[in-house]
Amino acid sequence: SATTYKTILDLAERFKVQFVLDKVEQFLINTNQVKPAKKMLLAEQYRLESLTKHCFNSFKTLQAVKELEKKTAFTKLSMSLKAALLAKVLELI
């Protein structure tokens, strides 16, 4: 659920349970209860490649990327992910 996904991710990573990581990743892809900026941060933190791709594909407009930049989670993203976002912005222009 939207309130327990972080705890489940922590435990799944700690105990190396890929099946659980995959299930939580699918939940995050399909839910609207978690904001895109938070999803990107989780995708990077837990190396959830499908979620990362989903997040990038969800940015259809320049405005959507600008909204992401305003979020607190954006400041926590790595430089490589921010560079990838810049490439997405250039793609949208």
Side-chain angles (χ1 to χ4, degrees):
S1 77
T3 57
T4 59
Y5 66 88
K6 178 76 168 98
T7 303
I8 295 170
L9 281 172
D10 287 339
L11 291 170
E13 182 178 60
R14 181 178 183 193
F15 294 107
K16 310 282 189 250
V17 184
Q18 188 61 46
F19 171 78
V20 175
L21 285 169
D22 294 343
K23 287 293 186 184
V24 177
E25 182 177 34
Q26 281 306 305
F27 166 77
L28 290 168
I29 287 170
N30 294 319
T31 189
N32 291 326
Q33 297 176 9
V34 181
K35 304 233 184 273
K38 181 69 174 175
K39 287 182 181 183
M40 290 201 67
L41 190 60
L42 292 167
E44 183 173 46
Q45 183 178 356
Y46 294 97
R47 297 172 301 284
L48 304 173
E49 196 168 311
S50 294
L51 182 58
T52 302
K53 288 178 185 174
H54 168 77
C55 290
F56 273 93
N57 290 337
S58 71
F59 298 122
K60 305 273 188 222
T61 66
L62 190 56
Q63 186 62 34
V65 178
K66 285 182 181 181
E67 287 299 316
L68 172 68
E69 186 182 15
K70 295 176 185 176
K71 305 297 181 194
T72 306
F74 179 81
T75 61
K76 297 177 183 176
L77 296 176
S78 70
M79 283 302 197
S80 62
L81 198 52
K82 288 178 183 177
L85 280 168
L86 176 60
K88 180 69 175 181
V89 166
L90 294 173
E91 192 179 295
L92 292 171
I93 294 177

